[in-house]
């Protein structure tokens, strides 16, 4: 499969652009501290010297962009916007990927069990998937973040909640794939030889499920990153002062007329990340699933 | 058909019951106490117990749940004597903070959210389906490529970002449209539409992006089917082949998606409403969350769940109309 992905990247320029974007942003997330050390500011230190004392807005043009503050500074606090955006990458990536892992593990186990075991297991899972897909989960997530005890770290809570509400889509696809695989001779052979469900799952089904799993997982990362940003935007996501694109964008609301840069930088970062995952995921799907190659 | 409808309604009620139960469990099993908030200062043990009893929170959790369900069906009364508050059926709870029952609060906000969601849905269906079909028919042309690139961008852009950029460009820089607020339709239909233009376009743009992608790929797949070749071989005009035979097939997944999207939006377009400062259901929920008004949060969540379930049921019925095969199962 890595060979298939490489071939796809060579052929599909959009997917390559997406892959490059995702990789660059991934590097930014991993080396955030290093990057901000080079740039000379951390995302937490207040700097009133960079502000116009009369209005509390950034001194200078375009939100205070200068050789010192690459993306300018935040109004009222004077914190470095470059550092905030760079560290926000870490928040978004971490929550996006970790919650995807949670959903994939749940979705694959549940979906494969439903497809392979059939009968009542299948009926209950299919029904639960329908219920979950139709659940007002944004409303529910907002509500849960409100009532959760403050001892639970918010990022962990977000990962669990976003991960938990994300499994049904994956389970549905894995179930459909498993139903097809179950009919294949190698699965029948393994069963005839007396292999139990767990063994069949691990050695026969899983290796054949990877391709669709990777495609759905990649395509679901952007919506999770968007969800984290949305929750932070609404004030129920990661708490202050942890940098988050969503919260920066929500703070930008009151400054949009006077300091649009506060909206543009975090917004652009968020947009590029989701866009990168989307086009890369589209390319992956076309490469790994020949049927959908309708580009 | 009747049996299908009956089955659907039964299933709907069951799903709603489960949504109610989950919501209830989350809100009442966590250490957050509406009675504590309503208790007043100084909050003595005695006052707290009184507040709990008044709100019906002194009974075990399962009792509270059944009380709630009974309230929905037959209404309920909080407290007793002169200070009693009666909440008529269907009673989805009572906001002790705002001294109003939840249904009234929701009913006040419904027109705003419905105007927003339905207006946007009309726009995105027209443009999403139209552009998707055109892109499929002109596959590989510049039009197709532009439509695809724009739709990937639309799928990737979050609603608050596009909304804020719209406000920035059209509201502040060009100053052509109002950037927020709501005027009831009954007061002035023109102002109502004019205020909603921006939110409609923003919501529609983002949703249309999904529909363009879906419709395009479905259309391409359908046009390769045998029955399309048969239709062409019969000598039908191309517009009839596409408009009648292919489109009907393409609409099936679209209907599913509309159900999910519209159901979700009607329950509160939380983010859009907050960007454009529209006083809708989403705003009601967010305010309730921030003021820790548990009964109201519970009511809003349930109402949103109710709309999603109803939307899904309608989708199933539409399936029966669009696809004769679906009537059999």
């Amino acid at each position: 499969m890595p060979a298939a992905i490489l071939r796809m990247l060579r052929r599909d320029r959009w997917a390559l652009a997406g892959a490059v974007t995702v990789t660059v942003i991934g590097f930014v997330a991993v080396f955030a501290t290093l990057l901000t050390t080079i740039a000379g500011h951390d995302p937490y230190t207040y700097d009133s010297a960079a502000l116009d004392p009369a209005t509390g807005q950034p001194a200078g043009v375009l939100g205070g962009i200068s050789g010192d503050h690459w993306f300018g500074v935040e109004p009222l606090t004077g914190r470095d916007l470059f550092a905030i955006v760079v560290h926000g990458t870490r928040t978004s990536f971490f929550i996006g990927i970790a919650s995807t892992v949670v959903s994939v593990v749940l979705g694959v186990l549940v979906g494969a069990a439903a497809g392979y075991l059939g009968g009542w297991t299948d009926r209950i899972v299919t029904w639960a998937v329908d219920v979950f897909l139709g659940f007002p989960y944004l409303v529910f997530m907002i509500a849960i973040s409100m009532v959760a005890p403050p001892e639970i770290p918010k990022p962990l809570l977000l990962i669990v909640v976003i991960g938990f509400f994300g499994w049904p889509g994956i389970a549905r696809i894995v179930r459909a794939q498993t139903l097809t695989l179950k009919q294949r001779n190698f699965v029948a052979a393994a069963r005839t030889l007396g292999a139990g469900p767990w063994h069949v799952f691990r050695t026969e089904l899983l290796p054949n499920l990877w391709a669709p799993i990777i495609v759905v997982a990649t395509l679901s990362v952007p919506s999770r990153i968007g969800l984290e940003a949305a929750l932070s935007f609404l004030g129920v996501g990661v708490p202050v002062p942890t940098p988050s694109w969503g919260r920066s964008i929500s703070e930008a609301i009151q400054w949009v007329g006077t300091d649009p840069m506060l909206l543009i930088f975090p917004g652009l970062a968020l947009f590029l990340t989701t866009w990168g995952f989307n086009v890369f995921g589209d390319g992956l799907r076309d490469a790994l699933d020949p049927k959908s190659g309708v580009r | 058909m009747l049996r299908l409808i009956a089955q659907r309604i039964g299933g709907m009620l069951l799903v709603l019951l489960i949504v109610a139960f989950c919501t209830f469990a989350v809100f009442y099993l966590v250490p957050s106490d509406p009675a504590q908030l309503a208790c007043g200062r100084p909050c003595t043990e005695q006052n707290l117990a009184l507040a709990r009893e008044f709100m019906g929170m002194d009974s075990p959790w399962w009792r509270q749940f059944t009380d709630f369900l009974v309230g929905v069906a037959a209404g309920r009364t909080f407290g007793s004597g002169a200070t009693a508050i009666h909440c008529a059926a269907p009673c989805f709870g009572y906001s002790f903070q705002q001294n109003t029952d939840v249904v009234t609060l929701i009913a006040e906000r419904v027109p705003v959210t419905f105007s927003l969601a339905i207006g946007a849905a009309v726009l995105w269906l027209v443009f999403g389906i139209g552009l998707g079909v055109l892109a499929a028919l002109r596959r590989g042309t510049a039009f197709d490529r532009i439509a695809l690139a724009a739709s990937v961008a639309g799928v990737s852009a979050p609603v608050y970002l596009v909304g804020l950029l719209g406000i920035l460009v059209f509201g502040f820089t060009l100053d052509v449209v109002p950037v927020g607020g709501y005027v009831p339709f009954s007061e002035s239909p023109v102002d109502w539409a004019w205020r909603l233009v921006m939110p409609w376009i923003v919501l529609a743009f983002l949703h249309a992006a999904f529909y363009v992608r879906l419709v395009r790929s479905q259309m391409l797949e359908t046009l390769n089917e045998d029955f399309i070749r048969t239709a062409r071989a019969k000598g039908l005009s191309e517009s009839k082949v596409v408009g009648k035979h292919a489109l009907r097939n393409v609409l099936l997944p679209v209907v599913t998606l509309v159900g999910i999207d519209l159901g979700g939006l009607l329950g509160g377009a939380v983010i859009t409403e907050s960007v454009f400062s529209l006083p809708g259901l989403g705003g009601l929920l967010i305010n309730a969350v921030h003021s820790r008004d548990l009964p109201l949060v519970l009511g809003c969540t349930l109402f949103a769940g109710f709309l999603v379930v109803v939307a899904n049921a309608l989708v199933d019925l539409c399936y029966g109309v669009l696809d004769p095969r679906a009537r059999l199962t």
Side-chain angles (χ1 to χ4, degrees), chain A residues 228-251:
Chain A
E228 180 273 316
L231 290 170
S232 299
F233 175 85
L234 294 169
V236 291
V238 288
V240 191
T242 314
S244 155
W245 295 338
R247 208 184 44 250
S248 292
I249 295 172
S250 92
E251 278 158 15

Side-chain angles (χ1 to χ4, degrees), chain A residues 40-104:
Chain A
H41 295 281
D42 66 73
Y44 307 109
T45 314
Y46 283 36
D47 180 9
S48 49
L51 298 173
D52 183 341
T55 56
Q57 285 178 30
V61 287
L62 290 176
I65 295 180
S66 64
D68 190 28
H69 294 287
W70 299 352
F71 285 2
V73 293
E74 217 180 41
L76 293 183
T77 62
R79 289 184 293 194
D80 185 56
L81 196 54
F82 177 74
I84 290 177
V85 171
V86 164
H87 279 265
T89 313
R90 189 172 269 185
T91 312
S92 286
F93 245 66
F94 180 58
I95 292 178
I97 305 236
S99 66
T100 304
V101 171
V102 173
S103 302
V104 165

Side-chain angles (χ1 to χ4, degrees), chain A residues 154-171:
Chain A
K154 263 287 158 65
L156 182 70
L157 182 74
L158 286 172
I159 291 168
V160 171
V161 171
I162 297 177
F164 183 69
F165 280 96
W167 68 264
I170 295 170

Side-chain angles (χ1 to χ4, degrees), chain B residues 218-238 240-252 322-323 325:
Chain B
Q218 280 289 325
M219 195 71 181
L220 285 176
E221 216 168 279
T222 310
L223 287 177
N224 278 327
E225 301 261 357
D226 287 343
F227 70 88
I228 294 293
R229 201 176 337 142
T230 312
R232 283 192 179 133
K234 279 196 301 191
L236 289 183
S237 67
E238 191 61 20
K240 228 177 195 156
V241 171
V242 173
K244 203 168 161 212
H245 291 250
L247 198 60
R248 193 159 168 158
N249 227 14
V250 169
L251 284 182
L252 285 175
L322 276 172
D323 185 354
R325 285 168 302 179

Side-chain angles (χ1 to χ4, degrees), chain A residues 14 127 130-131 133-136 138-140 142-144 146-147 149 219 226 229-230 233-236 246 249 252-253 256-257 260 263-264 267-268 270-271 274-275 278-279 282 285 291 293-295, chain B residues 14-15 18-19 22-23 26-27 30-31 139 149 152-153 155-158 160-161 164-165 167-168 172 213 216-217 220 260 270-271 274-275 285-286 288-290 292-294 297 301 304-305 308 312:
Chain A
W14 279 105
W127 185 76
D130 285 344
V131 172
L133 286 178
F135 210 72
L138 185 62
V139 174
F140 212 72
I142 295 167
I144 288 180
M146 160 198 173
V147 293
L219 283 173
F233 175 85
L234 294 169
V236 291
I249 295 172
I253 290 189
V256 77
L263 166 66
I264 290 177
L268 202 62
L270 180 59
F271 173 73
T274 45
W275 178 83
N278 272 329
V279 288
D282 277 352
R285 189 187 48 205
K291 241 179 56 190
V294 287
R295 277 202 129 166
Chain B
L14 192 61
V15 170
I18 290 172
V19 172
C22 294
T23 322
V26 168
F27 294 124
V30 291
R139 178 183 178 187
V152 178
V155 167
S156 308
Y160 42 91
L161 187 60
L164 286 172
L165 284 176
I167 290 178
L168 177 64
F172 285 107
R213 280 156 65 98
R216 179 183 174 277
S217 68
L220 285 176
I260 293 176
V270 184
I271 296 163
S274 110
V275 169
L285 173 75
I286 288 289
V289 166
H290 286 307
R292 308 185 82 77
D293 191 344
L294 274 174
V297 174
T301 313
V308 170
N312 277 336

Side-chain angles (χ1 to χ4, degrees), chain B:
Chain B
M1 198 71 186
L2 268 179
R3 216 181 117 216
L4 182 74
I5 295 175
Q7 260 177 2
R8 274 293 135 197
I9 291 175
M12 257 171 69
L13 289 177
L14 192 61
V15 170
L16 273 180
L17 200 64
I18 290 172
V19 172
F21 184 77
C22 294
T23 322
F24 207 84
V26 168
F27 294 124
Y28 282 79
L29 296 182
V30 291
S32 181
D33 192 347
Q36 187 83 50
L37 288 172
C39 165
R41 261 160 273 211
C43 183
T44 57
E45 280 294 315
Q46 202 185 0
N47 279 344
L48 189 64
L50 270 175
R52 283 227 174 88
E53 198 195 330
F54 189 79
M55 293 178 176
M57 291 196 62
D58 52 341
S59 33
W61 67 270
W62 56 268
R63 187 63 209 275
Q64 291 184 39
F65 184 59
T66 46
D67 279 349
F68 180 82
L69 291 182
V70 169
V72 171
R76 65 192 281 197
T77 305
F78 294 95
S80 56
T83 56
I85 296 169
H86 182 69
C87 172
C91 175
F92 281 92
Y94 190 89
S95 164
F96 294 98
Q97 286 189 21
Q98 307 204 24
N99 279 326
T100 319
D101 62 304
V102 169
V103 173
T104 312
L105 286 170
I106 290 178
E108 279 170 9
R109 304 292 192 111
V110 158
V112 184
T113 301
F114 277 40
S115 304
L116 173 66
I118 293 173
V122 170
L123 274 182
W124 90 57
L125 280 174
V126 170
F127 284 97
I129 297 176
L131 291 176
V133 170
L134 276 182
L137 293 180
R138 299 184 183 173
R139 178 183 178 187
T141 62
F143 176 81
D144 182 27
R145 276 199 291 273
I146 292 171
L148 264 191
S151 67
V152 178
V155 167
S156 308
V159 61
Y160 42 91
L161 187 60
V162 179
L164 286 172
L165 284 176
I167 290 178
L168 177 64
V169 174
F170 296 103
F172 285 107
T173 314
L174 301 177
D175 199 16
V176 284
V177 284
V179 294
Y182 177 78
V183 176
F185 184 78
S186 52
E187 237 167 67
S188 159
V190 178
D191 274 350
W192 169 81
W194 189 230
R195 292 263 167 177
L196 283 167
V197 163
M198 254 331 263
W200 277 341
I201 293 178
V202 168
L203 258 187
F205 170 66
L206 299 173
H207 281 89
F210 274 99
Y211 288 72
V212 168
R213 280 156 65 98
L214 179 75
V215 168
R216 179 183 174 277
S217 68
Q218 280 289 325
M219 195 71 181
L220 285 176
E221 216 168 279
T222 310
L223 287 177
N224 278 327
E225 301 261 357
D226 287 343
F227 70 88
I228 294 293
R229 201 176 337 142
T230 312
R232 283 192 179 133
K234 279 196 301 191
L236 289 183
S237 67
E238 191 61 20
S239 60
K240 228 177 195 156
V241 171
V242 173
K244 203 168 161 212
H245 291 250
L247 198 60
R248 193 159 168 158
N249 227 14
V250 169
L251 284 182
L252 285 175
V254 171
V255 165
T256 313
L257 201 59
V258 178
I260 293 176
D261 284 347
L262 205 55
L265 277 182
L266 290 176
V270 184
I271 296 163
T272 319
E273 286 171 16
S274 110
V275 169
F276 290 101
S277 38
L278 295 169
L281 287 167
L284 183 69
L285 173 75
I286 288 289
N287 290 342
V289 166
H290 286 307
S291 59
R292 308 185 82 77
D293 191 344
L294 274 174
L296 190 52
V297 174
L298 181 70
C300 288
T301 313
L302 264 181
F303 184 67
F306 170 73
L307 288 171
V308 170
V309 170
V310 171
N312 277 336
L314 288 177
V315 165
D316 282 341
L317 290 180
C318 284
Y319 253 78
V321 175
L322 276 172
D323 185 354
R325 285 168 302 179
R327 284 175 219 159
L328 299 173
T329 48

